[in-house]
Amino acid sequence: MLPMPIVNLLEAGQELARTGRRVRVLWQHDDTLAFVARGREYRSEFHINPSDETMYMIKGEMRLHYRTPEGNEEIAVIAEGAMIYTPAGIPHSPRFAPDAFALISERKRRPDEIDRFHWYCPKCDTLLHEERFVVDDYRKDPVSAAYARFFECLEFRTCKRCRAVMPAPAAL
Ligand SMILES: [Fe+2]
């Protein structure tokens, strides 16, 4: 494919901030998929991705919450200009400010692959809800779709064990 795309990452992030959008897909092909994302102030879910993933902080800092195989929540801090490699299957939750921008690189999903989004109880850490998505096109912003389904349903947000409720954000 010629000409090959060249992207100014800082300008791509600034455009998101200016327009209020969250994601700009740079390209998506079978073996490479890249997008610039702006932080989400309300981000609370853990994404389980069937593809390996790298995240590079263009501007600002990311706190990447993730869950170990033992089920513990830990945090990796990724400074501006730094990058992290997240292998497929690790539940992870990228938390960064709306004026911070990250470059995310994955590969396009294969036909039988499913992405999962998990939310945990803020009080007792029990799994609250799982959303499953076939991510065939990142331009559809699957994270926003998962959030809308979760936060619009009080039952999904209510812990079956301790009855605590995850509060809905002021705006999605
Ligand atoms: Fe709970």
Side-chain angles (χ1 to χ4, degrees), residues 121 124 159 162 164:
C121 175
C124 77
C159 179
C162 78

Side-chain angles (χ1 to χ4, degrees), residues 43-47 63-66 91-95 147:
R43 192 133 188 189
S44 55
E45 103 296 352
F46 286 83
H47 180 201
R63 294 173 69 80
L64 184 72
H65 292 237
Y66 64 98
H92 61 281
S93 182
R95 303 190 189 170
Y147 267 85

Side-chain angles (χ1 to χ4, degrees), residues 56-119:
Y56 166 74
M57 286 313 292
I58 302 160
K59 177 174 176 284
E61 177 187 276
M62 177 189 288
R63 294 173 69 80
L64 184 72
H65 292 237
Y66 64 98
R67 298 183 76 91
T68 67
E70 295 75 34
N72 298 318
E73 181 172 332
E74 303 207 355
I75 302 172
V77 178
I78 306 145
E80 181 172 306
M83 185 173 186
I84 190 167
Y85 162 63
T86 303
I90 293 187
H92 61 281
S93 182
R95 303 190 189 170
F96 52 114
D99 63 350
F101 318 127
L103 170 68
I104 320 290
S105 183
E106 307 174 356
R107 62 158 170 73
K108 208 169 172 192
R109 305 301 187 267
R110 294 179 179 133
D112 55 342
E113 288 181 331
I114 290 172
D115 284 54
R116 292 179 291 155
F117 298 89
H118 284 179
W119 283 266

Side-chain angles (χ1 to χ4, degrees), residues 8-170:
N8 182 307
L9 296 174
L10 191 55
E11 283 177 8
Q14 287 164 340
E15 183 196 322
L16 290 179
R18 206 168 45 244
T19 59
R21 288 163 51 224
R22 300 289 181 175
V23 173
R24 176 179 159 191
V25 175
L26 305 181
W27 56 78
Q28 49 182 343
H29 301 290
D30 287 352
D31 294 323
T32 173
L33 155 63
F35 58 93
V36 173
R38 199 160 61 85
R40 300 175 194 250
E41 48 280 73
Y42 49 80
R43 192 133 188 189
S44 55
E45 103 296 352
F46 286 83
H47 180 201
I48 301 162
N49 185 343
S51 154
D52 281 7
E53 181 168 343
T54 60
M55 287 173 268
Y56 166 74
M57 286 313 292
I58 302 160
K59 177 174 176 284
E61 177 187 276
M62 177 189 288
R63 294 173 69 80
L64 184 72
H65 292 237
Y66 64 98
R67 298 183 76 91
T68 67
E70 295 75 34
N72 298 318
E73 181 172 332
E74 303 207 355
I75 302 172
V77 178
I78 306 145
E80 181 172 306
M83 185 173 186
I84 190 167
Y85 162 63
T86 303
I90 293 187
H92 61 281
S93 182
R95 303 190 189 170
F96 52 114
D99 63 350
F101 318 127
L103 170 68
I104 320 290
S105 183
E106 307 174 356
R107 62 158 170 73
K108 208 169 172 192
R109 305 301 187 267
R110 294 179 179 133
D112 55 342
E113 288 181 331
I114 290 172
D115 284 54
R116 292 179 291 155
F117 298 89
H118 284 179
W119 283 266
Y120 290 86
C121 175
K123 197 170 163 197
C124 77
D125 206 38
T126 296
L127 179 66
L128 289 178
H129 182 67
E130 176 180 274
E131 281 288 322
R132 299 165 76 92
F133 271 83
V134 174
V135 179
D136 56 344
D137 183 351
Y138 245 101
R139 286 170 298 189
K140 295 177 187 166
D141 194 0
V143 172
S144 289
Y147 267 85
R149 280 180 50 82
F150 175 71
F151 282 112
E152 281 164 9
C153 179
L154 183 62
E155 188 193 332
F156 292 164
R157 292 189 281 121
T158 304
C159 179
K160 278 78 188 162
R161 185 165 164 225
C162 78
R163 307 308 297 169
V165 176
M166 180 173 278

